[in-house]
């Protein structure tokens, strides 16, 4: 495991803390939470695309979240944690063991290349992580270049199957093992997103530090998911994908419209 994780984390110069949120030791008491259901047209496109490309919809959500984390951290890569419901592959007597084996593993996404290449790299990474799904996060942290007293990541993604009728993805495609229990409701990570796969619809629950508006993060995820789907067809570069909704772009432009008239015959000091 050491060689594998050193290889995937070797390009990480430092963690990607969205909005500089680095404190993962809080009790979650000041967290803002907001839930939403994706539009049916988007959910349908996500399922159709993932099915045609031979991958789980979890790949698209991890790819989108990685982009959001990277942009909110002003980095060309996004490093975040993902919850794996471990299947203890190859462990003797695993089927006789009681209890859940949930582990958090680091996922890193590099915003380079085409959207097609980007999504393929995320797919390969998630499938590769399955072989190491029981590797303790503390060990992985020690193999990275991030000091142990510093959090490896402060953003968390929890993709969970919340219905048993999702036959389209789960029966015909490889199981990525990325899942969780419905009882997992609150973390101490300041930038956390839960994805609920209901079989037809997708639900998203953002749990953010009190200074962050979860509505904007949910909006960004929706915009990025749309961008990824369009980019697969257009051949767009992943670095060029938008993250802000049109209304937010208009608001940003108005903020930057600072042109004013002023007397040309006076100095700056006089003014």
């Amino acid at each position: 495991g050491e060689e594998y994780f050193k290889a995937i984390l070797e390009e990480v110069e430092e963690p990607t803390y969205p909005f500089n949120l680095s404190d993962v030791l809080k009790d979650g008491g000041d967290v803002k939470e907001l839930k939403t259901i994706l539009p049916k047209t988007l959910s349908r496109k996500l399922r159709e695309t993932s099915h045609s490309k031979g991958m789980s919809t979890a790949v698209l959500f991890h790819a989108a979240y990685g982009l959001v984390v990277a942009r909110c951290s002003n980095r060309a890569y996004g490093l975040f944690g993902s919850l794996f419901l471990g299947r203890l592959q190859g462990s003797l007597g695993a089927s006789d063991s009681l209890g859940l084996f949930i582990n958090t593993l680091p996922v890193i996404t590099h915003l380079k290349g085409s959207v097609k290449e980007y999504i393929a790299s995320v797919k390969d990474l998630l499938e590769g992580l399955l072989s190491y799904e029981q590797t303790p996060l503390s060990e992985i942290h020690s193999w990275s270049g991030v000091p142990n007293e510093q959090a490896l990541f402060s953003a968390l993604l929890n993709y969970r199957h919340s219905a048993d009728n999702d036959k389209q993805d789960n029966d015909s495609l490889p199981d990525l093992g990325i899942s969780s229990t419905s009882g997992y409701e609150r973390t101490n990570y300041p930038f956390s997103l839960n994805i609920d796969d209901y079989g037809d619809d997708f639900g998203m629950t953002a749990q953010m530090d009190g200074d962050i508006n979860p509505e904007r993060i949910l909006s960004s995820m929706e915009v990025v998911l749309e961008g990824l789907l369009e980019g697969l067809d257009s051949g767009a570069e992943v670095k060029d994908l938008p993250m802000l909704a049109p209304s937010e772009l208009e608001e940003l432009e108005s903020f930057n419209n600072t042109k004013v008239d002023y007397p040309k015959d006076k100095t700056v000091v006089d003014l």
Side-chain angles (χ1 to χ4, degrees):
E2 180 176 358
E3 183 177 347
Y4 174 79
F5 284 104
K6 279 187 174 180
I8 67 173
L9 296 173
E10 63 180 354
E11 295 183 41
V12 177
E13 299 172 356
E14 59 184 80
T16 52
Y17 301 140
F19 304 109
N20 291 321
L21 297 171
S22 60
D23 189 354
V24 298
L25 300 178
K26 290 184 177 181
D27 60 4
D30 61 344
V31 166
K32 290 180 181 177
E33 179 177 295
L34 186 65
K35 299 181 180 180
T36 189
I37 299 293
L38 286 184
K40 288 187 177 297
T41 53
L42 176 55
S43 293
R44 185 169 59 251
K45 284 193 293 184
L46 287 168
R47 293 194 186 281
E48 291 173 351
T49 299
S50 61
H51 189 67
S52 67
K53 302 297 183 182
M55 62 186 178
S56 166
T57 48
V59 173
L60 293 173
F61 280 96
H62 278 73
Y65 192 63
L67 191 148
V68 170
V69 170
R71 292 276 176 80
C72 291
S73 308
N74 197 29
R75 289 282 172 181
Y77 58 88
L79 176 61
F80 61 93
S82 178
L83 286 176
F84 279 65
L85 183 59
R87 293 172 296 174
L88 295 177
Q89 298 182 44
S91 295
L92 186 63
S95 60
D96 298 324
S97 301
L98 296 177
L100 295 172
F101 300 91
I102 299 175
N103 193 25
T104 304
L105 295 179
V107 173
I108 183 165
T109 60
H110 296 277
L111 306 190
K112 59 183 180 182
S114 67
V115 169
K116 182 178 180 180
E117 291 169 334
Y118 173 67
I119 290 177
S121 68
V122 175
K123 177 178 181 289
D124 289 344
L125 174 65
L126 293 178
E127 291 177 346
L129 283 172
L130 282 179
S131 298
Y132 305 96
E133 61 184 345
Q134 287 302 309
T135 307
L137 183 58
S138 58
E139 288 189 13
I140 300 173
H141 193 159
S142 69
W143 298 328
S144 74
V146 178
N148 287 334
E149 63 271 14
Q150 200 176 352
L152 185 59
F153 47 77
S154 66
L156 186 74
L157 181 66
N158 179 14
Y159 186 100
R160 56 199 183 190
H161 292 280
S162 301
D164 294 325
N165 61 341
D166 184 6
K167 301 300 182 184
Q168 176 175 307
D169 280 338
N170 299 330
D171 285 354
S172 59
L173 301 177
D175 179 14
L176 283 177
I178 303 166
S179 182
S180 182
T181 63
S182 59
Y184 189 94
E185 294 298 341
R186 183 62 56 89
T187 77
N188 55 346
Y189 288 91
F191 197 89
S192 180
L193 183 70
N194 294 330
I195 306 298
D196 284 298
D197 185 338
Y198 292 117
D200 291 320
D201 296 323
F202 289 103
M204 296 195 302
T205 303
Q207 296 172 344
M208 300 288 150
D209 181 271
D211 293 331
I212 307 300
N213 182 358
E215 183 177 1
R216 305 198 80 158
I217 304 306
L218 293 176
S219 173
S220 293
M221 278 293 296
E222 191 171 323
V223 170
V224 171
L225 286 167
E226 289 276 13
L228 289 174
L229 293 176
E230 294 173 6
L232 277 171
D233 294 329
S234 68
E237 295 286 302
V238 66
K239 64 181 177 60
D240 296 329
L241 292 186
M243 195 182 83
L244 298 178
S247 60
E248 291 178 308
L249 286 173
E250 291 176 6
E251 184 180 15
L252 189 62
E253 289 175 1
S254 68
F255 288 157
N256 289 329
N257 184 15
T258 57
K259 184 178 180 180
V260 295
D261 292 325
Y262 61 92
K264 300 296 191 297
D265 58 343
K266 291 188 178 182
T267 67
V268 172
V269 175
D270 290 336
L271 292 173

